[in-house]
């Protein structure tokens, strides 16, 4: 049949000995089809090579079968690994994921959130915002299926999936304090981004509880969470008379840069300076020395975010209250924070 054109739903029904409606129910995954009938129809679909008309199905159901995943930067290993986990979860549920990056541009984030030309193609959106304001979030359609990654900073109608950044940063700093370090630096403070502020809060809490000062010269702001910024910040601190004996970097790429700066100056890690990262991307297992870090449960983030999003796509809970879901994290200890 394929030689004279695409196989139609009606042909599948005729060969299987069922109605076209039954074939449609099997193709669209409806539950109320007898198992034996489903197997019979699926066998004919496979044998004939039938492919559903996606455009027609979209017109009929009002859905595209596409979910959007919007992140600040795909060259950040954390977001690349998160994207892989989200794709795996969504594919298992029969959806295709389109991944977009915003580079932290507020206009691009607004376009996707507010159903601009690109945002309108998605049945639902998982969004990791970097630059959206409270006004942007409040202006969004509350009925639109959206899940936000990160702590709630304004009372919106959208679900939030996140780790406890304050607690995680506090635990990471506590570990450095527990190894006997007393001049502990932080790289990654930011004036705008919520993540940087929350991790700074946890860092400061741990120092205060231990009775240690937060030296202004050991607190380094960055524009980006990348290797170059970590290298530059660490190099500047090593040029200062008040050298740190430990540094907590607010992500692993900053920590990789800081490691390189220490090794360039001939310092031993962790002998002279202990280094702690955040995210536990695969790369840090193979750094020299291997990097201690905070590990968010990325699989749990992906699983919960996709499940919440699909629940709203299916309108099982579209009108329900927004939820905040906190997923676990843990401290992973490696060579870079050995005992002082």
């Amino acid at each position: 049949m394929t030689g004279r054109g695409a196989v139609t739903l009606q042909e599948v029904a005729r060969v299987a000995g069922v109605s076209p409606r039954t074939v449609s129910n099997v193709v669209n995954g409806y539950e109320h089809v007898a198992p034996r009938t489903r197997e019979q129809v699926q066998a004919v679909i496979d044998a004939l090579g039938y492919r559903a008309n996606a455009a027609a199905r979209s017109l009929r159901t009002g859905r595209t079968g596409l979910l959007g995943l919007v992140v600040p930067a795909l060259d950040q290993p954390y977001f690349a690994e998160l994207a892989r986990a989200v794709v795996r979860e969504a594919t298992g549920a029969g959806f295709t994921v389109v991944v977009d990056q915003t580079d932290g541009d507020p206009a691009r984030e607004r376009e996707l959130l507010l159903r601009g030309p690109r945002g309108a193609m998605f049945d639902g959106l998982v969004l990791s915002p970097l630059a959206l304001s409270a006004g942007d979030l409040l202006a969004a359609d509350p009925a639109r299926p959206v899940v936000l990654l990160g702590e709630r900073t304004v009372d919106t109608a959208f679900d939030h999936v996140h780790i406890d950044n304050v607690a995680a940063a506090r635990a990471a700093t506590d570990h450095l304090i527990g190894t006997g370090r007393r001049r502990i630096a932080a790289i990654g403070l930011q004036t705008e981004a919520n993540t940087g502020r929350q991790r700074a809060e946890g860092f400061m809490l741990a120092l205060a509880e231990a009775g240690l000062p937060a030296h202004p010269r050991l607190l380094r702001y960055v524009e980006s969470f990348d290797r170059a910024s970590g290298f530059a910040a660490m190099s500047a601190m090593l040029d200062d008379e008040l050298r740190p004996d430990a540094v907590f970097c607010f992500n692993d790429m900053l920590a990789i840069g800081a490691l390189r700066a220490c090794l360039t100056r001939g310092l031993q890690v962790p002998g002279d300076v202990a280094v702690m990262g955040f995210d536990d991307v695969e790369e840090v297992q193979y750094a020299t020395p291997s990097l201690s870090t905070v590990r968010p449960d990325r699989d749990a983030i992906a699983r919960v975010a996709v499940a919440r999003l699909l629940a709203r796509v299916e309108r099982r809970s579209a009108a329900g209250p927004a939820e905040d879901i906190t997923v676990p994290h843990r401290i992973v200890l490696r060579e870079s924070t050995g005992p002082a």
Side-chain angles (χ1 to χ4, degrees), residues 213-276:
H215 293 290
R217 286 149 62 189
L218 298 182
L219 305 178
R220 297 289 165 158
Y221 286 78
V222 297
E223 292 288 330
S224 302
F225 276 20
D226 56 23
R227 299 170 185 84
S229 297
F231 181 87
M234 192 70 197
S235 296
M237 283 191 289
L238 295 178
D239 287 335
D240 196 302
E241 291 181 358
L242 183 65
R243 282 190 170 188
D245 59 10
V247 58
F248 171 41
C249 299
F250 290 4
N251 86 336
D252 288 340
M253 297 303 97
L254 291 170
I256 292 291
L259 275 177
R260 180 63 181 174
C262 291
L263 298 178
T264 299
R265 301 299 182 93
L267 298 177
Q268 297 294 316
V269 177
D272 297 317
V273 183
V275 179
M276 169 73 74

Side-chain angles (χ1 to χ4, degrees):
M1 291 184 185
T2 56
R4 60 177 177 78
V7 177
T8 67
L9 183 144
Q10 288 74 18
E11 287 174 313
V12 173
R14 179 166 43 81
V15 174
V18 299
S19 70
R21 181 57 177 268
T22 299
V23 176
S24 177
N25 288 343
V26 171
V27 169
N28 288 290
Y30 292 128
E31 297 178 0
H32 303 298
V33 178
R36 180 174 297 181
T37 301
R38 186 183 300 279
E39 292 176 6
Q40 175 185 343
V41 172
Q42 189 61 54
V44 174
I45 287 172
D46 295 340
L48 299 183
Y50 171 72
R51 295 292 180 269
N53 186 319
R57 183 168 58 188
S58 176
L59 288 172
R60 184 173 63 254
T61 65
R63 298 179 189 164
T64 64
L66 301 177
L67 301 180
L69 171 63
V70 182
V71 298
L74 281 168
D75 58 359
Q76 285 281 350
Y78 172 80
F79 290 115
E81 294 180 17
L82 176 65
R84 180 172 59 192
V86 169
V87 168
R88 182 175 62 245
E89 292 293 328
T91 300
F95 283 80
T96 299
V97 177
V98 177
V99 183
D100 203 345
Q101 69 172 20
T102 64
D103 297 314
D105 180 352
R108 293 176 68 183
E109 291 186 353
R110 280 194 297 270
E111 177 189 348
L112 290 159
L113 178 65
L114 303 178
R115 292 187 186 271
R118 287 186 299 169
M121 73 175 70
F122 304 127
D123 292 333
L125 200 65
V126 176
L127 172 61
S128 179
L130 189 63
L132 289 177
S133 68
D136 294 329
L137 293 170
L138 292 173
D141 179 2
R144 188 183 186 196
V146 173
V147 172
L148 298 174
L149 302 183
E151 286 92 336
R152 185 180 299 276
T153 58
V154 61
D155 189 18
T156 72
F158 304 128
D159 296 322
H160 286 248
V161 180
H162 57 91
I163 68 166
D164 187 335
N165 273 295
V166 175
R170 189 176 182 177
T173 309
D174 280 340
H175 169 68
L176 295 174
I177 294 169
T179 64
R181 314 292 170 155
R182 292 297 177 265
R183 297 184 309 280
I184 302 175
I187 297 177
L189 284 78
Q190 294 182 313
T191 55
E192 298 296 333
N194 291 325
T195 297
R197 291 202 302 268
Q198 290 155 359
R199 293 178 187 176
E201 181 182 347
F203 171 78
M204 298 292 191
L205 282 172
L207 291 184
E209 289 177 353
L212 296 177
H215 293 290
R217 286 149 62 189
L218 298 182
L219 305 178
R220 297 289 165 158
Y221 286 78
V222 297
E223 292 288 330
S224 302
F225 276 20
D226 56 23
R227 299 170 185 84
S229 297
F231 181 87
M234 192 70 197
S235 296
M237 283 191 289
L238 295 178
D239 287 335
D240 196 302
E241 291 181 358
L242 183 65
R243 282 190 170 188
D245 59 10
V247 58
F248 171 41
C249 299
F250 290 4
N251 86 336
D252 288 340
M253 297 303 97
L254 291 170
I256 292 291
L259 275 177
R260 180 63 181 174
C262 291
L263 298 178
T264 299
R265 301 299 182 93
L267 298 177
Q268 297 294 316
V269 177
D272 297 317
V273 183
V275 179
M276 169 73 74
F278 201 116
D279 285 340
D280 196 31
V281 300
E282 185 177 9
E283 176 180 340
V284 303
Q285 300 176 44
Y286 305 100
T288 304
S290 59
L291 186 68
S292 295
T293 186
V294 179
R295 182 176 188 176
D297 191 338
R298 276 185 296 274
D299 289 339
I301 292 172
R303 183 170 60 253
V304 172
V306 171
R308 292 300 306 160
L309 186 63
L310 295 184
R312 293 190 175 271
V313 168
E314 297 293 336
R315 299 192 180 279
R316 290 195 296 267
S317 60
E323 291 190 20
D324 284 341
I325 302 102
T326 304
V327 301
H329 66 270
R330 64 185 179 92
I331 305 297
V332 178
L333 300 181
R334 298 194 179 99
E335 296 166 342
S336 69
T337 59

